[in-house]
Amino acid sequence: MTQAATNPATVLRSPERLLGALITADTRLVARGGCVAPLPLTVLEGEPKHALEAFLAPAENRSPPVTSRDALGCTTTAGHWTFGQLPIDESRGLAVGAEAAYTELLARVAREGTPHLWRVWHYLPAINATDPETGIERYRLFNQGRAAAFTAANRPAGPSAPAACALGSPADTSGRLVFLASDSPAIGIENPRQVSAWNYPRQYGHKSPLFARAAIARGPRHDWLFISGTASITGHATRHRGDVYAQTDETLTNLQAVLDEANARRPADCRAFDWNPTTHLRVYLRHPDDLAAVRARLDQQLSAVSRRVFLQADICREDLLVEIEATVHQPRDENDDDRLWPEL
């Protein structure tokens, strides 16, 4: 079911420190600034505030957020961080458009002194469709463009890859990317059950996807674990084709493997990450009719996570039925208050 448009507004504490936010089309955000990115997806279940993920500059940050908007999108910077969104212009083809968008993204974060990408979200219309001009799947064309931009910027795939996801939006929407960057690098985390995405064999496209399975990022108030879009893949192969129950179980096993790997590699002064009521889950379903089945699996295995939203989206492979991404944060100070949208 889609949320009604009469939902109350989500009010941020200290909205003047908003860097940016992901919202749903029917969410009203009370804030005086920041770069706000609506997701071009249908909400199947979940309160509007659960679909919103907001990032706030810390109170002690000396630089208030400054937002700039132009024909290419919007960017908000506050000292150590930048949040922004950019469109993907397909007038010259998706590969060219993706390269141009990423070239602009990398140039913007470099200008702002925040060159390290922590998290990137991508939404591509008809992600699994075959491009009529090239005969290549659209997601693979996107990967070609992204790789070209990274190569031109002299960014090696592994060390430069942020946590990321790429979801398919309806064909009548426009492509976009949303990003969070910092002046300090995140710690890339891989899944020992999977081949790193940038090392996928050529059967998945001329250029591999460039993302880390997760990233540990450290702010003055919280430590963050951004878990990329995760699905039913082991090694590099899709598992359990056509079985949404088994795919969900495999996805949850992968999520736990990433969490365990992150805890094994976290800095010594970083508290362990765990699934708790402050964790944010976004669950993407190819088929809305699978909602009850996937929800039941999450209720059984991730019952501690109360902040979750289910959205309809195509997944980057046609044989994948479900994808889950997560944001886990732990306060640096155990006595820090636990607000819905904490400061970095």
Side-chain angles (χ1 to χ4, degrees), residues 272-296:
F273 297 104
D274 60 3
W275 308 120
N276 59 53
T278 69
T279 298
H280 296 279
L281 289 185
R282 272 192 292 278
V283 184
Y284 301 101
L285 302 177
R286 183 179 293 276
H287 304 302
D289 290 346
D290 289 335
L291 173 61
V294 176
R295 185 206 304 120

Side-chain angles (χ1 to χ4, degrees), residues 305-333:
V305 178
S306 61
R307 299 176 182 175
R308 63 194 192 190
V309 63
F310 296 82
L311 303 107
Q312 182 178 10
D314 290 335
I315 318 301
C316 63
R317 295 184 187 180
E318 283 190 303
D319 50 12
L320 290 172
L321 303 175
V322 58
E323 178 171 310
I324 302 174
E325 63 183 48
T327 300
V328 187
H329 65 270
Q330 300 286 10
R332 302 291 292 275
D333 180 352

Side-chain angles (χ1 to χ4, degrees), residues 4 26 74 83 102 105 119 129 132 144 147 171 188-189 226 264 272 289 296 306 328 336 344:
D26 53 9
C74 67
F83 185 97
Y102 252 97
L105 183 163
R119 183 68 165 91
Q144 289 180 20
I189 302 297
F226 298 107
D289 290 346
S306 61
V328 187
D336 199 359
L344 287 165

